[in-house]
Amino acid sequence: MWVATVLQQGQPLCPLQAILTAPPKTKYFSFSRTKAFHSLNSPFRLRKLDVPAAKKQLPPSQSSNRDEENVPFQEKGGEGLDLGWLPAFPHVFIASLSNLLFGYHIGVMNGPIVSIARELGFEGNSIIEGLVVSIFIAGAFIGSLATGSLVDKLGCRRTFQIDMIPLILGPILSANAQSLDEILGGRFLVGLGIGVNTVLIPIYISEVAPTKYRGALGSLCQIGTCLGIIASLFLGIPSENDPHWWRTMFYFASVPGFIIALGMQFAVDSPRWLCKAGRVDDAKTVVRNLWGASEVEKTIEEFQSVSRNDGSDLDNRWSEILEEPNSRVALIGGALFLLQQFAGINGVLYFSSLTFQDVGVQSSALASLFVGLTNFAGALCALYLIDREGRQKLLIGSYLGMAISMFVVVSAVSFPLDEQLSNNLSILGTIMYIFSFAIGAGPVTGVIIPELSSTRTRGKIMAFSLSTHWVCNFLVGLFFLKLVEKFGVAPVYASFGAVSVLAALFANNFLVETKGRSLEEIERSLYPKTGTD
């Protein structure tokens, strides 16, 4: 979310832009569908899009519409008032609350696991403690894979409501657990729901947000995750003195599920999905209410044009992501999450508590809170920058910052000139790394994949990409400590830095910029068969 889980004291903890404002006046471009992909040296490389000025190729009526889109908060031909991001915000906000749940459930085990283990009879058994934590990831993997089919059949709104069932029952079962099996069942249900959410939220926001604000609104996912982690850390403070407080924390976790399920009853469904389902009048109503009356005819025509040419319907198959060009986008999505995880965010945040202890911060809760606040600050910056600077530039800069940060820590550990200086450099490198991740690699990955996906296969491509995320997440968490014990901190951190450089090169060579372009414009440029009617 958009999503990386970290291990804090052996438990998963998720890292995670200041004001939603319009980006500078955007020039619109037309895309050459014949140059959508690189064909040399790579089976899945995206080609930079041709970007001659749109006004040279668009009919006067369409050029006029483009100009109108660049004038927010003004009346357009007497057809209505463009209120920018405001009409879509309540719907996006309700969806983003699911990310607050995500952050909360990842942080909720950080402190109380000791009390849970003692009360349920597995204290001191590190394998069982690890199982209680990792069963969450197993559930998330299954939930991610299931989401593609659910969202295609039912739409985002109903899928959200169904998804709240495990996210309500799971915490209640955990809160009332009297045995290991019950706590494992509760954590698995929670993971199942979170796995659905991590796929569903980016899809929903990308399809209901206005084009100019799609990146910023999509970055609210990261804000929600950060706030969820911080909330779980604050609520976890009493657990240090009350061995039964963990049950209350799980009860708290069920409350947002009820709010989201009720809120989604009043939220809109994706207008693109409504068109796929043949509910064109409902789609027109949603577009009119969210994007303005002047956008209705042009937008619905774009939806229908894409649907006619790619055969969008509610019965697409998983095998379709193996066909060109869907397979290229799916591979890029999986590679982005693989690189995100193997760039070491889990390991760095796990080891950050020990780094803070070296400079006198003995409270793991305080260290975790400091890390959470750094994530939050980075997420706020991403909210501001993502629609101004663009996805690709932010992602490249983020990974380069992560690489530099890792090399700073490696230098401090390998060539300590002074103990205090070495500790300070380690702290600086860790903070730089977390901030760099939160400003780009975290939020942008979840935003750009649904933008590159076609309407027909968006759900399944996101499901595949997020399932890759959970597998890599599990592997890094499983092997990080063993690698540190065998090779030491410096070589492991140096490898994280190397992967970060590789990720920056990947983003530079295999991604295209999507800011300021509607999903239909992007799809026509990257999917040849939707390029013409």
Side-chain angles (χ1 to χ4, degrees), residues 495-513:
S495 68
F496 291 161
V499 173
S500 297
V501 172
L502 181 62
L505 292 172
F506 182 90
N508 182 68
N509 292 313
F510 296 110
L511 295 184
V512 295
E513 185 52 66

Side-chain angles (χ1 to χ4, degrees), residues 47 66 92 194 212 231 241 248 285 326 330 382 394 454 473 481:
R47 179 181 291 277
R66 296 300 189 212
V92 171
I194 292 300
K212 288 192 296 182
N241 301 315
T248 304
T285 300
N326 296 320
L394 208 56
S454 71
N473 181 300
L481 282 183

Side-chain angles (χ1 to χ4, degrees), residues 25 67-84 212 294:
K25 197 167 185 177
D67 290 338
E68 287 178 352
E69 289 178 3
N70 289 324
V71 188
F73 305 103
Q74 295 182 19
E75 293 184 4
K76 299 179 178 180
E79 295 184 28
L81 189 68
D82 178 8
L83 299 177
K212 288 192 296 182
S294 63

